[in-house]
Amino acid sequence: MVNSSHEAMHRIFQEYPGLFTGVSEVLGLPFVPPTAVTVLPTGLTEARTVERRVDTLLRFDSEGEESFLLAVEAQSGKDGDKPASWAYYLSFLYAKYRIPPLLLVVCQDRSTAEWAARPVPIGPRQWPALRVYPLVVGPHNMPVITDPADARADLALATLSAIAHAKEPAVDGILKALSTALQDVPEAVADTIIEFTAQGLGGNRRAAALWRNLVAADLSFYKSYLSEEIRDEGRTRGAAEDILLVLETRGIDVPYAIRERITACDDLELLRCWLARAVTVPSAEEVFSEA
């Protein structure tokens, strides 16, 4: 199960290896669609004292074309140590597999993407022995897919579009298009897309709430763990709103701290108890009373 935006940024390529074909087309790169894609072990450890691991590693094979390795790294911020690690990954992979390696870095903000895209020379300035050229995708070059037909044509690319733009206002339109597109696909496919999208939104609570609302409204027939969680959150949010409405209708003042405690509660049974008390208590504070 995907449990962070970092994982979503790279594991979506494991789940949908063909996604790289869509990404390469977006970036204007002449990669031929593969005839086979193999998910490879991600460990790049040589000595037990130092463990190195790439996020996702795939092997692409195409008829009549040279095979290559795709190392996908999710990068949430600038990290001065990463270029050296990336150089190690590429050198190790080439030495181990004897197949050309390619590094793809997935970012969610423009400054990190610009930083990651800079070629990194390794060696004396007079003659760098190595030079790392990461291929970078992020909000600066991923399409904003807001047409449900376009989202339906490539669900994985639309999901990556939402992940890449998770921190930008454009994500709202992408999420709406994606939720509409998912209404026409099998449940098994939709469940995975729902999960990757939810986790890929990361810390954007507003976008995450929008996605939960869209899934609850448009895709209520799905039974995945995430969908059940989303519907549970919708029920708790509705119960919290009912409590506040009852108190306000009765003319009872609700201080900010109490409002926050009510809306932050995710225990549906407890919220129902508070709702029953809200009908008769003389003050908002007494909603929480056990008496």
Side-chain angles (χ1 to χ4, degrees):
M1 180 177 179
V2 184
N3 55 24
S4 72
S5 60
H6 177 93
E7 285 190 65
M9 282 192 280
H10 71 87
R11 279 189 53 193
I12 189 171
F13 286 89
Q14 294 182 26
E15 189 70 25
Y16 302 100
L19 171 59
F20 182 68
T21 298
V23 169
S24 63
E25 290 176 355
V26 167
L27 300 180
L29 299 174
F31 286 102
V32 175
T35 55
V37 179
T38 306
V39 179
L40 301 176
T42 59
L44 306 180
T45 305
E46 283 190 291
R48 296 194 178 191
T49 54
V50 179
E51 182 177 359
R52 301 179 189 271
R53 187 175 297 275
V54 69
D55 286 337
T56 283
L57 182 61
L58 305 171
R59 172 175 173 155
F60 284 73
D61 297 302
S62 302
E63 187 174 346
E65 293 287 332
E66 183 179 42
S67 298
F68 67 94
L69 302 176
L70 179 68
V72 184
E73 284 279 286
Q75 195 66 33
S76 58
K78 299 176 184 178
D79 183 347
D81 294 330
K82 272 294 182 162
S85 297
W86 292 340
Y88 175 89
Y89 296 164
L90 295 171
S91 299
F92 180 90
L93 290 171
Y94 186 69
K96 179 177 180 178
Y97 292 98
R98 298 296 176 179
I99 298 174
L102 174 64
L103 173 65
L104 175 66
V105 182
V106 182
C107 305
Q108 289 183 303
D109 65 86
R110 295 172 187 270
S111 62
T112 300
E114 291 172 358
W115 165 82
R118 296 171 184 169
V120 180
I122 298 176
R125 62 178 178 79
Q126 295 89 340
W127 192 270
L130 295 172
R131 192 179 296 270
V132 179
Y133 288 95
L135 185 62
V136 178
V137 296
H140 66 299
N141 61 5
M142 286 303 297
V144 177
I145 299 176
T146 57
D147 186 331
D150 293 337
R152 192 176 299 110
D154 194 333
L155 291 171
L157 186 63
T159 303
L160 185 62
S161 174
I163 293 172
H165 293 280
K167 298 180 180 180
E168 305 206 343
V171 72
D172 291 9
I174 302 171
L175 295 177
K176 291 173 183 177
L178 187 55
S179 67
T180 300
L182 288 176
Q183 296 178 36
D184 301 327
V185 303
E187 180 177 343
V189 175
D191 284 345
T192 306
I193 294 294
I194 290 170
E195 182 180 334
F196 272 115
T197 303
Q199 297 303 333
L201 295 175
N204 189 335
R205 298 177 65 181
R206 185 194 58 76
L210 173 61
W211 183 238
R212 287 180 171 85
N213 289 336
L214 289 170
V215 170
D218 297 341
L219 309 170
S220 59
F221 50 90
Y222 289 122
K223 302 298 182 183
S224 70
Y225 171 82
L226 179 62
S227 297
E228 290 292 346
E229 178 183 292
I230 289 170
R231 285 193 290 278
D232 287 344
E233 290 183 5
R235 284 192 284 265
T236 57
R237 183 169 57 253
E241 291 172 352
D242 288 344
I243 295 169
L244 296 174
L245 178 61
V246 168
L247 293 172
E248 291 167 0
T249 300
R250 295 182 58 217
I252 295 176
D253 180 59
V254 183
Y256 178 78
I258 292 178
R259 183 181 297 272
E260 283 290 289
R261 181 175 175 183
I262 292 173
T263 56
C265 181
D266 59 4
D267 186 330
L268 187 58
E269 289 303 315
L270 181 57
L271 286 167
R272 286 171 176 162
C273 290
W274 291 350
L275 178 59
R277 293 176 194 152
V279 177
T280 58
V281 293
S283 68
E285 291 82 356
E286 295 188 48
V287 165
F288 309 124
S289 173
E290 296 296 330

